[in-house]
Amino acid sequence: MTARRLVELLGLPLVALVLVAAVLGVQVAQGGGTYEPLRPADPCAERAVTSRADGIDGLTERIVLLGVDAAACRLGTSREALTLRLAQREDPTDAEVDALRAGLRDAVRRLGDDGDLPPASELADEALAAADLNRFVEAALRALPDSVVDGALDTEDVLLRAVDELDVRALLDDLDDPDALEAAVSAAVQQAVRDALLDRLRDLF
Amino acid sequence: MRRVVTALLVVTVALVLADSAVVTLALPEILLELDTTVGEVAWVLISFNLVLALVAVPTAWSLRVTSPRVASAVGIAVFAGASAWCAAAGTIEVLVAARCLQAVGGALALLGCLELLVASYGERRGVATWITAGVVGTGLGPVLGGLLTEAISWQAIFVVQVPFAVLAVPAALTVAAPREPPADRHRPAVRANLTLAVLSAALVAASFLLVLLLVEGWRRSPATAAVTVSVVPLAALAARPLARALRTPPTVEVAVGCFLVAGGLVGLAVPPSAHLAWTVAPQVLVGLGLGMTVDRLTERALEQRLPRARHAAWTIGARHAGIVLGLALLTPVFTADLREAEAPAQEAVTALVIDAPLRPEDKVAVAEALGRQLQAERGQVPDLAPAFASLDLDPAERPAADDLERALDDQLERAATAAFRDSFLLGAGLALLAMLTVALPGRRRHP
């Protein structure tokens, strides 16, 4: 076979091979083939959560974010899949409700262990403003020194009690109603504070 | 005068074959305007190709008893009338019926014009002109359709065909062409037609799927998509000079063309982002492949075979049966993949909203607005802009919301791109199968 015949037979195939290899090589090197949607992170892996909000709102957001992670881990699903399921379905299953409550408790404990829970006195003003109390009672409570508040109320204990008080199923029903949500959380926190104070008094006597 | 007549015949051939894919970019608009379903609107495309594939060979038989100029004139007139009917269609059923009639008229017009062009230019140049007009029409169809849809409306695609066709009717009647002798003299070129059919199925991925990815997946306008897919016909023009410069034998040229189409489709399956620039190089590969294959294979199927019209009909049948095969194979794959892509896309969107640096109440507002938008656009890749525009946010939160909107759009583009991947790879597989039909050893002829 002459060199000229060889060029005629192999010239175009070689040019084509080089062109295809070059195009695919550049695309793969630039991330082609991995251009896919974000994969959900492992909910069982520890994740740092932050909030743009301060005070009780910020604390609540962090507890909810960590709580949903922990609940998803318990249910063997992703945080995103669980969130979508809870947001889209009318009636969550008992397993989901139980996992969510347990997840919220895990979240409170984790924040407590990490030293990320503020003392009760830091949250007291905001909690009193949100609570529907008699003006004189509210003024009296505001007059208490921080050390007394912090001595009487342990934030982690109050939050764990509040999680137990929460009607998680009703809360999920009210996801699209911020006022109802706030009222439900506030009621649970007030009840938790009352229970914590009563238990503290019982311990004193 | 002769030049005007032949030019009109060439335009007619290009128009009929452009109609194969001309409506691709108009399908979303037709879907909305005729209030139909995705499955039904696909028949606007399928019906034309299916009927053309089915009636091409029987139409060639009818040319034995009719003069080519009369057949051409009748075919072009039916095609023009059916085009006008398409433009006036008020329901999907009427549009599909009109498209079927368009294909019947188109088949008669295509085969009649072939005879008239041969009568005008002689065998070799007439056939070459007919083939080139068809390839140009097929390549430019989606581009013209997209531009007309964006500039005017989907009806304009059909309306603009009518005056050309109306002028071509008297033009056809002026050409004296002899009726072909009735005897069967050559058998159809099975291998060339088979390669043409399989390759046409593969090319559906480059025309139909790419257009859908651009318009539906990446939410580009029909005009932008039309300009983007014009890379394929432009690159096809460079194919023949390249093959000529290297003096490549025709069989090698066709095999290489199939390989280039396969390579281009793999490239379209793995873009590194949804930037339009990433579709250019793969489309150049597809265009080069198209330019090395379709006209070569059609030439080979027609080469010195008589009756000419019947062999031309086999090539038309093979190409359009291939397109229908491609649509039948690729459509269920990408629709299923699009459905499957919904869950990962929703999860990605959820993750970004949950982790967004927004205040909790703003996150809830964003989630509610997105939920409403997703509900309104169920089954389609959603446009998130209205959801974000409806939000009443603190101006300080706007930059974070804008960042979130961009990130969510990116996730949706990622999901849509990933959903089309398997279909493009299937198209590449079909192109490699077409290459195999070229490369396999032929039947030995005994002396």
Side-chain angles (χ1 to χ4, degrees):
Chain A
M1 192 182 281
T2 63
R4 186 177 171 160
R5 182 73 182 141
L6 210 61
V7 169
E8 284 173 8
L9 278 178
L10 297 179
L12 192 61
L14 283 175
V15 169
L17 261 178
V18 169
L19 284 176
V20 170
V23 170
L24 297 185
V26 169
Q27 291 199 264
V28 171
Q30 293 297 314
T34 54
Y35 185 60
E36 288 174 338
L38 199 68
R39 287 181 193 281
D42 177 6
C44 303
E46 208 161 279
R47 180 193 330 240
V49 294
T50 54
S51 174
R52 285 281 319 278
D54 303 320
I56 292 177
D57 282 351
L59 181 62
T60 308
E61 186 185 7
R62 290 167 69 201
I63 291 171
V64 168
L65 291 178
L66 290 172
V68 173
D69 252 350
C73 178
R74 283 169 186 268
L75 292 167
T77 184
S78 70
R79 167 187 74 156
E80 291 76 13
L82 178 62
T83 306
L84 285 167
R85 216 160 50 222
L86 293 174
Q88 289 166 356
R89 215 168 48 202
E90 294 276 306
D91 50 338
T93 63
D94 290 343
E96 285 167 348
V97 170
D98 293 345
L100 209 53
R101 191 187 302 282
L104 292 171
R105 289 183 63 90
D106 290 347
V108 172
R109 281 199 204 95
R110 189 185 139 189
L111 287 176
D113 292 346
D114 293 348
D116 287 340
L117 288 177
S121 55
E122 267 186 36
L123 305 172
D125 282 349
E126 212 181 327
L128 288 170
D132 186 19
L133 293 176
N134 176 295
R135 254 187 325 138
F136 297 107
V137 175
E138 189 182 329
L141 288 173
R142 280 186 195 281
L144 289 173
D146 287 351
S147 56
V148 174
V149 175
D150 293 337
L153 294 170
D154 172 54
T155 309
E156 183 175 335
D157 177 53
V158 171
L159 289 174
L160 287 174
R161 287 171 189 269
V163 169
D164 290 340
E165 287 293 332
L166 280 175
D167 181 348
V168 176
R169 204 176 284 276
L171 215 60
L172 291 171
D173 278 346
D174 292 333
L175 276 181
D176 52 352
D177 184 350
D179 292 339
L181 269 179
E182 198 176 329
V185 172
S186 182
V189 171
Q190 283 176 39
Q191 187 59 47
V193 169
R194 259 183 240 124
D195 293 347
L197 286 173
L198 283 173
D199 283 353
R200 188 92 177 115
L201 286 171
R202 272 190 215 109
D203 290 346
L204 288 174
F205 299 105
Chain B
M1 181 65 185
R2 182 168 156 262
R3 273 191 185 171
V4 175
V5 168
T6 49
L8 282 167
L9 298 178
V10 166
V11 169
T12 302
V13 172
L15 278 181
V16 173
L17 289 171
D19 260 283
S20 164
V22 77
V23 288
T24 310
L25 277 161
L27 292 181
E29 200 176 306
I30 295 173
L31 183 104
L32 285 177
E33 201 167 310
L34 298 187
D35 191 21
T36 182
T37 64
V38 174
E40 281 179 343
V41 86
W43 277 95
V44 179
L45 207 59
I46 296 169
S47 58
F48 181 87
N49 289 291
L50 183 62
V51 172
L52 198 52
L54 290 174
V55 303
V57 175
T59 301
W61 283 85
S62 74
L63 285 179
R64 287 165 60 172
V65 294
T66 325
S67 107
R69 61 179 175 181
V70 172
S72 302
V74 170
I76 298 168
V78 171
F79 178 77
S83 296
W85 192 22
C86 285
T91 66
I92 190 71
E93 291 80 9
V94 171
L95 181 56
V96 170
R99 288 282 284 166
C100 292
L101 189 62
Q102 230 195 349
V104 172
L108 202 54
L110 281 177
L111 298 174
C113 284
L114 171 63
E115 296 300 320
L116 299 185
L117 286 170
V118 168
S120 300
Y121 285 140
E123 175 77 28
R124 199 176 175 80
R125 196 174 155 205
V127 170
T129 306
W130 184 81
I131 291 171
T132 308
V135 172
V136 170
T138 307
L140 288 180
V143 180
L144 296 175
L147 292 175
L148 285 167
T149 303
E150 178 84 6
I152 310 171
S153 69
W154 67 265
Q155 286 92 343
I157 293 172
F158 298 106
V159 171
V160 295
Q161 301 185 37
V162 177
F164 287 106
V166 165
L167 288 174
V169 172
L173 289 170
T174 63
V175 183
R179 194 180 300 169
E180 269 204 291
D184 277 343
R185 282 187 261 170
H186 298 106
R187 289 196 302 188
V190 175
R191 185 195 288 247
N193 281 317
L194 180 65
T195 309
L196 208 48
V198 180
L199 190 68
S200 298
L203 286 168
V204 168
S207 54
F208 180 61
L209 280 188
L210 178 58
V211 159
L212 275 183
L213 175 63
L214 296 176
V215 177
E216 291 296 299
W218 295 356
R219 302 197 70 87
R220 305 302 161 115
S221 70
T224 307
V227 172
T228 307
V229 298
S230 66
V231 172
V232 171
L234 288 176
L237 295 175
R240 191 46 76 81
L242 179 65
R244 256 196 219 130
L246 294 165
R247 295 170 182 279
T248 313
T251 309
V252 176
E253 187 182 329
V254 171
V256 167
C258 293
F259 174 71
L260 284 168
V261 171
L265 292 177
V266 173
L268 289 173
V270 292
S273 81
H275 197 290
L276 293 177
W278 286 112
T279 69
V280 173
Q283 284 193 85
V284 168
L285 295 180
V286 173
L288 287 173
L290 177 74
M292 288 177 192
T293 48
V294 174
D295 52 351
R296 273 282 184 212
L297 288 164
T298 312
E299 268 169 26
R300 197 179 298 174
L302 286 177
E303 206 171 37
Q304 294 174 348
R305 287 176 200 270
L306 292 170
R308 192 186 307 108
R310 197 166 320 145
H311 290 288
W314 279 112
T315 67
I316 295 168
R319 278 172 63 174
H320 293 274
I323 292 171
V324 174
L325 174 74
L327 288 170
L329 286 175
L330 298 173
T331 309
V333 174
F334 90 81
T335 46
D337 285 351
L338 265 181
R339 266 197 303 275
E340 278 178 28
E342 249 181 62
Q346 282 184 351
E347 289 184 10
V349 166
T350 306
L352 287 176
V353 174
I354 289 176
D355 294 331
L358 289 171
R359 292 188 311 219
E361 60 271 27
D362 292 334
K363 285 187 193 179
V364 173
V366 168
E368 284 180 350
L370 289 177
R372 282 194 297 273
Q373 193 67 25
L374 289 172
Q375 200 66 37
E377 298 193 42
R378 188 149 285 281
Q380 288 184 298
V381 179
D383 178 7
L384 302 181
F388 278 87
S390 70
L391 293 173
D392 181 21
L393 295 177
D394 186 327
E397 296 281 290
R398 258 295 157 198
D402 291 344
D403 287 346
L404 177 62
E405 185 182 349
R406 275 190 291 276
L408 296 183
D409 280 334
D410 176 55
Q411 289 304 315
L412 293 178
E413 285 174 344
R414 282 169 179 269
T417 308
F420 277 79
R421 184 174 301 156
D422 288 351
S423 306
F424 280 124
L425 292 177
L426 180 58
L430 286 169
L432 290 178
L433 187 64
M435 188 174 84
L436 270 186
T437 64
V438 181
L440 284 177
R443 194 173 49 181
R444 279 189 189 167
R445 289 199 179 145
H446 297 287

